[in-house]
Amino acid sequence: MRTRVGIIGAGPAGLLLSHLLHLEGIDSVVLEIRSRAHIEARIRAGVLEHGTAELLRQCGLGERMDREGLLHHGTILRFGGRSRRIDFTELTGKSVMVYGQHEVVRDLVARRLADGGDIRFEVGDVSIHDVNTDAPSISYTEGGVARTLECDIIAGCDGFHGICRPSLPPGFIRDFDRIYPFGWLGILAEVSPSSEELVYARHARGFALLSMRSPTIGRFYLQCPPDDDAGTWSDDRIWSELHTRLADQEGFTLTEGPIIQKGVTAMRSYVAEPMQAGRLFLVGDAAHIVPPTGAKGMNMAVGDVAVLARALERQIRHNDSALLESYSQTCLRRVWNVQRFSWWMTSMLHNFDGANAFDEQVRLAELDYVTTSRAAAVTLAENYVGLPLAV
Ligand code: RFL
Ligand code: PHB
């Protein structure tokens, strides 16, 4: 089989890339190891930057998002028992969209299939070949049968644990890495959110986040040890910890409901440089991950996709390779800005074991400053709603 762009991974990055290429008349095939049901049910990100939501609208994918998503004009930072609001719209003229990543994935899969797109689910033994030649290929198995996909370009959209990045020769990639000494316990509950806006809470017992997926489904996170077992968190323990960490002195009350899902995620910042090797382009989590405190991972993946789709269009339709050659450099500038923001939010809002009393006071002072100085609040808000896409 032959296609222009062989895409490995049907996460938001791979699916959106395939859709944007289709709109430019460029064909692609998406290979995914998981089932369609699995990728459509995987609960992950929840916040779309202003630019991500706009891009989805522009490419014809905004309809259900605008109907069912929740437009948020600000967020609450809670610390020392006080709640302070950052007003995104007043500070930046922009807002964010609370719409689950799995909903974006569902919309993308439905649209690709309706447009006749080729997505192969549940493939196995995926490996890439000859990326340093002008005839790269991908081998894989489908229903136990060995197959080869020949292409001009390979887009490695296979997430942090995929095969593309590790396939490169040792030493080719320079890794930049920071592992945090904590994780997040993520909780999904059948409960109407107790706050209209997200609440990021710093507490002596650890960070807590109140988020949501819809008017009837709440999403919560609790800072926990990085290797914690979600099974040791009973529903009672979860609610008790959420009540304690989310409390303020202004009468906030948390409504409880049945917990329908819980799981622990470790927290890490990582960047691979460069994001390109010959005809292989790394996109999204395959090239970089962030701790989720800034709500950036999926948005960063979309940022890469926007750059790559445009560069491929210039290359394939106009035989102009300039944008493709600068893909890594263009993406990395934005990636490092987003890394900085995610690291900063994470550092400011979490408890670090062994931090001394001075460090704690500095973190509280930073929260106080960021919620009282307009200049500092604009800095937080413009990063949260999203820096401009690099296209
Ligand atoms: P994905 O979504 O991991 O998709 C990669 C796909 O590749 C498949 N795959 C393979 N396919 C073929 N062959 C192979 N060898 C393969 N190996 C893997 C996988 O099955 C998968 O389908 O990467 P992509 O597309 O780059 O998207 C990145 C986002 O998923 C990720 O950055 C976000 O979920 C991060 N994230 C958040 N991002 C935000 O923008 N806003 C948020 O609010 C936010 N919250 C979060 C998050 C991630 C979290 N977790 C669980 C890590 C909250 C959490 C708890
Ligand atoms: C989510 O709703 O899953 C979510 C929201 C904000 C974050 C991280 C995750 O910073």
Side-chain angles (χ1 to χ4, degrees):
M1 192 170 43
R2 188 177 163 81
T3 190
R4 282 281 194 182
V5 184
I7 299 177
I8 305 181
L15 292 166
L16 181 61
L17 180 64
S18 178
H19 175 61
L20 294 179
L21 292 176
H22 168 73
L23 296 181
E24 295 295 344
I26 300 167
D27 62 293
S28 64
V29 173
V30 181
L31 302 175
E32 166 62 49
I33 43 173
R34 302 291 197 156
S35 66
R36 178 177 179 184
H38 179 92
I39 64 161
E40 292 190 347
R42 198 164 46 191
I43 301 292
R44 284 190 165 180
V47 178
L48 308 185
E49 290 178 354
H50 172 85
T52 300
E54 274 296 297
L55 177 67
L56 292 175
R57 284 185 195 104
Q58 281 160 16
C59 69
L61 287 162
E63 199 249 332
R64 196 166 71 93
M65 174 188 79
D66 281 326
R67 196 161 19 94
E68 297 178 14
L70 309 166
L71 205 56
H72 280 209
H73 296 285
T75 194
I76 309 293
L77 297 184
R78 190 165 289 167
F79 57 98
R82 286 164 297 178
S83 293
R84 297 219 181 115
R85 180 165 187 265
I86 303 284
D87 188 328
F88 301 145
T89 306
E90 195 259 324
L91 294 164
T92 69
K94 294 175 184 165
S95 53
V96 294
M97 178 68 82
V98 175
Y99 189 62
Q101 174 170 329
H102 66 290
E103 306 289 3
V104 175
V105 164
R106 276 178 58 196
D107 294 346
L108 278 161
V109 170
R111 183 59 187 269
R112 281 311 292 126
L113 296 180
D115 288 345
D118 193 344
I119 310 174
R120 310 281 167 113
F121 293 104
E122 298 180 76
V123 302
D125 302 322
V126 179
S127 57
I128 56 175
H129 311 277
D130 305 322
V131 298
N132 284 316
T133 72
D134 55 9
S137 65
I138 308 170
S139 59
Y140 62 101
T141 58
E142 197 173 9
V145 179
R147 296 189 189 280
T148 302
L149 177 63
E150 287 161 8
C151 40
D152 296 335
I153 297 283
I154 298 176
C157 306
D158 52 349
F160 188 62
H161 301 288
I163 54 98
C164 289
R165 193 181 68 252
S167 303
L168 295 172
F172 180 83
I173 294 275
R174 179 160 181 211
D175 304 291
F176 298 83
D177 212 359
R178 171 177 288 243
I179 294 171
Y180 298 87
F182 42 75
W184 276 14
L185 174 72
I187 301 126
L188 201 63
E190 280 170 353
V191 64
S192 120
S194 301
S195 165
E196 281 184 12
E197 295 180 334
L198 270 62
V199 180
Y200 288 83
R202 186 191 154 79
H203 189 276
R205 293 183 62 83
F207 170 76
L209 172 61
L210 181 159
S211 181
M212 61 206 71
R213 283 295 175 276
S214 74
T216 55
I217 300 287
R219 178 77 170 150
F220 303 90
Y221 296 96
L222 285 166
Q223 178 181 350
C224 64
D227 50 359
D228 216 2
D229 174 4
T232 63
W233 285 84
S234 67
D235 292 6
D236 280 352
R237 183 177 169 211
I238 289 172
W239 286 116
S240 154
E241 208 59 44
L242 284 170
H243 277 292
T244 305
R245 298 191 197 179
L246 287 168
D248 72 1
Q249 296 155 359
E250 291 151 26
F252 171 79
T253 49
L254 177 68
T255 311
E256 298 183 14
I259 291 177
I260 49 180
Q261 213 186 86
K262 57 190 171 189
V264 172
T265 314
M267 306 259 285
R268 185 168 187 170
S269 302
Y270 171 84
V271 180
E273 290 198 11
M275 290 169 58
Q276 179 203 354
R279 298 283 184 114
L280 170 68
F281 292 81
L282 299 175
V283 188
D285 276 20
H288 41 65
I289 55 171
V290 283
T293 329
K296 290 294 168 212
M298 175 172 55
N299 293 297
M300 224 187 338
V302 168
D304 296 347
V305 169
V307 175
L308 187 57
R310 176 131 168 69
L312 288 171
E313 185 263 331
R314 293 301 306 169
Q315 169 71 60
I316 293 170
R317 305 247 320 242
H318 305 275
N319 206 22
D320 171 2
S321 63
L323 292 184
L324 211 47
E325 280 160 18
S326 56
Y327 167 76
S328 180
Q329 200 190 339
T330 306
C331 289
L332 282 168
R333 179 161 177 241
R334 189 172 192 274
V335 163
W336 276 112
N337 270 292
V338 176
Q339 287 287 350
R340 185 205 66 79
F341 176 68
S342 303
W343 161 83
W344 175 62
M345 288 285 280
T346 302
S347 310
M348 185 167 64
L349 286 160
H350 288 77
N351 280 353
F352 286 76
D353 273 350
N356 68 21
F358 179 87
D359 297 338
E360 294 297 310
Q361 291 304 116
V362 167
R363 272 192 254 281
L364 284 172
E366 190 155 29
L367 278 161
D368 186 33
Y369 177 58
V370 96
T371 52
T372 48
S373 151
R374 184 178 172 88
V378 169
T379 293
L380 192 151
E382 76 173 353
N383 280 277
Y384 197 92
V385 300
L387 298 173
L389 294 175
V391 280

